[in-house]
Amino acid sequence: MTATPPDPDPQRTPGLEPGGGVRPGDTPPESGQTSGLSHREPTPPKATTGRVLIALILVLAVLVAAMLLTQAFLLS
């Protein structure tokens, strides 16, 4: 038993010109397709996640700068 092709038979589809094209203004026949997603899409991160990450980077940068300044003053 052979599976039927997903595309419609051009000889039995109305509105097709010779060669398989459609006339201007006509909608081509639909072909078989799969619907839905193959896997679940991840949810995007919330806006607060980015703000918290930036705040943590800034705090870390200030702490590193304070440490370097403290070492510079203690060594001089």
Side-chain angles (χ1 to χ4, degrees):
M1 183 167 134
T2 61
T4 58
D7 295 326
D9 184 14
Q11 295 177 353
R12 290 189 280 148
T13 304
L16 286 181
E17 294 181 341
V22 292
R23 286 177 266 152
D26 281 352
T27 304
E30 288 193 33
S31 48
Q33 63 183 7
T34 57
S35 62
L37 300 173
S38 60
H39 57 84
R40 185 177 172 166
E41 291 187 15
T43 47
K46 298 185 189 290
T48 55
T49 305
R51 292 180 184 143
V52 169
L53 185 61
I54 290 172
L56 287 174
I57 291 171
L58 287 175
V59 167
L60 182 65
V62 168
L63 287 174
V64 168
M67 180 187 69
L68 291 174
L69 285 173
T70 303
Q71 283 185 349
F73 284 120
L74 289 177
L75 292 176
S76 61

